[in-house]
Amino acid sequence: EAEVAQSPRYKITEKSQAVAFWCDPISGHATLYWYRQILGQGPELLVQFQDESVVDDSQLPKDRFSAERLKGVDSTLKIQPAELGDSAMYLCASSLYTGTGGYTFGSGTRLTVV
Amino acid sequence: GEDVEQSLFLSVREGDSSVINCTYTDSSSTYLYWYKQEPGAGLQLLTYIFSNMDMKQDQRLTVLLNKKDKHLSLRIADTQTGDSAIYFCAEINNAGNMLTFGGGTRLMVKP
């Protein structure tokens, strides 16, 4: 069964350092999403891509977060500098079509900022 | 904006039925979803219901939708210890480009 791949699985970083997460969606899925899930809460959308274009990044803290999907396939989410409040699970999801909501999620990257 | 609410916790005995409830505010939602998250893992899509339906059954899972009250429920029949997880309901906005999640209900199944 096709999966959304994410790496690393876990990341511990010191505050003020830079950190990056990688996501490889299911082959052929045009839409890619990055969600942040704080412990004990539901996931919240950070950014949505359609192919290589950003569709929605209204919830992305752009002073420190950036996301790219240069060739419309895999994607990188970067935080620089990391803050203690960024500790969370970062989930990537992809879907074949926009609008159905039946996203496939990766296993996530758990970030701990110390 | 959209708001999705769930109760925090549910405890049942193995073999009993579980009912997890959810309320939402966006009346224009086209699809509503139930996802399952096991500890330390990503989200797994369990089932979904189209907004013009009021019930959907899929093996041990039954989804009920009351559009008038904006209430969604997930019933798990014959609950097993492997069903212990956090369950999230989610709605998609009318434009079809944003999935909004509730805060999750932690289901604990006692042997």
Side-chain angles (χ1 to χ4, degrees):
Chain A
E1 187 177 329
E3 292 184 346
V4 175
Q6 288 190 248
S7 67
R9 189 78 177 85
Y10 302 95
K11 180 71 179 178
I12 300 175
T13 191
E14 292 183 346
K15 64 179 181 178
S16 80
Q17 296 298 305
V19 63
F21 316 127
W22 176 80
C23 171
D24 190 12
I26 292 174
S27 178
H29 279 195
T31 312
L32 184 148
Y33 311 82
W34 283 101
Y35 278 82
R36 177 170 60 185
Q37 184 180 21
I38 295 170
L39 189 64
Q41 299 181 19
E44 294 180 323
L45 181 68
L46 289 175
V47 61
Q48 176 190 350
F49 288 92
Q50 181 70 28
D51 298 310
E52 67 275 7
S53 301
V54 173
V55 172
D56 184 351
D57 64 355
S58 56
Q59 301 302 312
L60 190 70
K62 297 183 190 63
D63 56 335
R64 298 185 299 107
F65 285 64
S66 64
E68 60 183 16
R69 193 185 183 198
L70 293 176
K71 296 182 180 178
V73 181
D74 58 339
S75 175
T76 303
L77 178 69
K78 297 178 182 177
I79 308 174
Q80 181 174 17
E83 296 180 353
L84 295 177
D86 297 330
S87 295
M89 174 82 91
Y90 290 82
L91 295 162
C92 179
S94 70
S95 66
L96 188 57
Y97 305 110
T98 299
T100 63
Y103 305 172
T104 302
F105 280 84
S107 296
T109 295
R110 178 162 297 283
L111 172 67
T112 303
V113 182
V114 297
Chain B
E2 298 88 359
D3 198 15
V4 182
E5 300 283 341
Q6 299 178 239
S7 53
L8 286 177
F9 187 75
L10 176 66
S11 177
V12 300
R13 293 215 171 270
E14 191 173 20
D16 288 350
S17 292
S18 307
V19 180
I20 302 171
N21 295 300
C22 170
T23 57
Y24 61 97
T25 57
D26 186 357
S27 58
S28 65
S29 293
T30 51
Y31 289 91
L32 294 128
Y33 304 83
W34 285 103
Y35 281 83
K36 176 183 180 182
Q37 187 177 36
E38 297 187 15
L43 278 73
Q44 173 196 356
L45 178 64
L46 283 179
T47 187
Y48 64 93
I49 189 165
F50 190 51
S51 60
N52 69 352
M53 299 168 63
D54 52 18
M55 187 182 92
K56 180 179 179 181
Q57 187 152 2
D58 184 0
Q59 298 182 336
R60 292 190 298 121
L61 306 179
T62 303
V63 180
L64 296 178
L65 174 61
N66 181 329
K67 279 198 76 175
K68 174 175 169 290
D69 295 337
K70 299 191 188 68
H71 182 267
L72 182 74
S73 68
L74 174 70
R75 179 177 181 270
I76 306 173
D78 187 26
T79 313
Q80 303 298 305
T81 54
D83 295 324
S84 293
I86 301 176
Y87 291 80
F88 292 93
C89 70
E91 62 173 356
I92 197 157
N93 64 348
N94 198 34
N97 63 354
M98 180 177 288
L99 194 61
T100 300
F101 289 87
T105 298
R106 180 178 295 276
L107 174 65
M108 178 180 289
V109 183
K110 299 177 185 175

